[in-house]
């Protein structure tokens, strides 16, 4: 299973900018008010982005974090391993500094 090899070659935190939106992506980030220690330290050390995308829990959820003034997204899970019943992804648009037209897309049962 290649995920272990991928983790060795990928940074824990990836930051980039799309339009006027700073984005931070990580695997295990926790959630607003209960971030993982590494994610919390990253937010404090390097500043909060406008958008944080993380996973790990397999639970689809989007929430505004008022403390850091950022939108937090967990797209759920689209694979066949895990406890999720339905595979999900998120689709959204970015225009300038706006994050909009968010959709949760269900890809069918995990089976």
């Amino acid at each position: 299973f290649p995920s272990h090899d991928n983790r060795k070659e990928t940074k824990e935190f990836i930051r980039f900018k799309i339009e006027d939106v700073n984005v931070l992506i990580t695997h295990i980030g926790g959630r607003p008010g209960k971030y993982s220690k590494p994610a919390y330290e990253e937010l404090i050390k390097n500043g909060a982005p406008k958008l944080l995308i993380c996973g790990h829990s397999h639970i689809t959820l989007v929430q505004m974090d008022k403390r850091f003034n950022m939108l937090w997204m967990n797209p759920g899970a689209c694979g066949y391993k895990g406890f999720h019943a339905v595979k999900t992804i998120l689709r959204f648009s970015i225009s300038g500094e706006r994050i909009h037209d968010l959709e949760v897309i269900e890809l069918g049962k995990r089976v």
Side-chain angles (χ1 to χ4, degrees), residues 40-51:
Y40 181 77
E41 289 173 353
E42 173 68 16
L43 294 171
I44 297 301
K45 178 181 172 187
N46 295 310
K50 184 164 178 110
L51 174 61

Side-chain angles (χ1 to χ4, degrees), residues 72-110:
W72 174 89
M73 294 184 181
N74 183 328
C78 62
Y80 293 98
K81 293 187 178 192
F83 61 86
H84 57 285
V86 177
K87 298 179 287 179
T88 60
I89 59 173
L90 298 176
R91 178 170 52 194
F92 56 94
S93 296
I94 295 177
S95 303
E97 62 180 30
R98 287 183 53 233
I99 302 166
H100 57 97
D101 297 329
L102 174 67
E103 299 174 77
V104 176
I105 300 172
E106 293 185 356
L107 302 172
K109 294 184 178 185
R110 179 176 53 89

Side-chain angles (χ1 to χ4, degrees), residues 25-80:
I25 295 180
T26 190
H27 178 213
I28 302 173
R31 65 182 191 277
K34 199 167 186 176
Y35 290 107
S36 68
K37 185 176 179 185
Y40 181 77
E41 289 173 353
E42 173 68 16
L43 294 171
I44 297 301
K45 178 181 172 187
N46 295 310
K50 184 164 178 110
L51 174 61
L52 170 61
I53 302 171
C54 62
H56 187 64
S57 73
H58 291 217
I59 299 169
T60 307
L61 187 62
V62 176
Q63 184 176 346
M64 188 67 191
D65 183 330
K66 292 179 184 176
R67 176 179 181 196
F68 288 106
N69 193 31
M70 70 180 175
L71 185 60
W72 174 89
M73 294 184 181
N74 183 328
C78 62
Y80 293 98

